[in-house]
């Protein structure tokens, strides 16, 4: 079974993600974290994630900081990462290295759903 980690500080959004995976009828184990620090702890306790979906604006550790840590960690450096945010201009202005990170603008789109299906085959 594939494993997905969704990181977002809004509990309602996390619930939407869980519902979305159920609607897609995919055999996926969905884990959630409310910020980057929680996400990093989960990465250390779970054997391997097939996909990590992260929000940008979160308390304690934002999505950019989380992704930087994930790229440095041998356990997650090759994990597929989706950035799901409403702050794309801010990300582009930050000039952060987002190589191999797919960026999707909120709200959920058909492009995002299709990408999820492709990456979790």
């Amino acid at each position: 079974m594939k494993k997905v980690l969704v990181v977002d500080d809004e509990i309602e959004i996390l619930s939407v993600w869980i519902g979305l995976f159920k609607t897609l009828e995919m055999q996926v184990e969905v884990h959630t974290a409310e910020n980057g620090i929680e996400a990093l702890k989960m990465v250390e306790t779970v054997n391997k994630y097939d996909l990590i979906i992260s929000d940008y604006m979160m308390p304690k550790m934002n999505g950019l900081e989380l992704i930087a840590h994930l790229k440095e960690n041998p356990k997650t450096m090759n994990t597929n990462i989706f950035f799901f945010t409403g702050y794309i201009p801010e990300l582009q202005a930050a000039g952060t290295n987002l190589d191999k990170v797919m960026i999707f603008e909120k709200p959920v789109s058909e492009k995002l759903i299709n990408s999820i299906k492709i990456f979790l085959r």
Side-chain angles (χ1 to χ4, degrees):
M1 180 178 289
K2 302 283 185 169
K3 292 181 187 170
V4 175
L5 174 60
V6 181
V7 189
D8 198 302
D9 61 319
E10 295 183 50
I11 294 171
E12 299 83 16
I13 300 290
L14 295 175
S15 296
V16 168
W17 278 108
I18 291 168
L20 176 67
F21 281 104
K22 285 181 183 175
T23 301
L24 295 175
E25 297 179 356
M26 299 178 77
Q27 295 297 315
V28 176
E29 186 178 313
V30 181
H31 298 189
T32 61
E34 293 182 26
N35 59 60
I37 293 172
E38 273 186 35
L40 291 177
K41 288 178 185 174
M42 293 187 76
V43 161
E44 292 307 317
T45 61
V46 173
N47 184 34
K48 177 185 181 289
Y49 284 108
D50 299 286
L51 176 63
I52 298 174
I53 302 170
S54 179
D55 186 25
Y56 171 44
M57 296 295 280
M58 298 180 290
K60 298 182 183 177
M61 178 185 288
N62 70 37
L64 285 176
E65 295 164 327
L66 170 61
I67 288 172
H69 285 283
L70 293 172
K71 286 182 164 192
E72 293 172 1
N73 184 337
K75 193 172 184 179
T76 54
M77 63 185 357
N78 294 315
T79 302
N80 298 310
I81 301 172
F82 288 4
F83 225 148
F84 183 63
T85 183
Y87 295 92
I88 289 178
E90 288 86 343
L91 287 176
Q92 292 167 336
T96 304
N97 178 4
L98 292 174
D99 290 343
K100 299 182 183 178
V101 175
M102 293 190 70
I103 302 172
F104 297 92
E105 191 164 15
K106 289 183 179 180
V108 173
S109 66
E110 193 66 30
K111 179 181 176 185
L112 173 61
I113 291 170
N114 289 336
S115 296
I116 288 170
K117 289 177 181 178
I118 290 168
F119 280 86
L120 294 179
R121 278 188 205 165

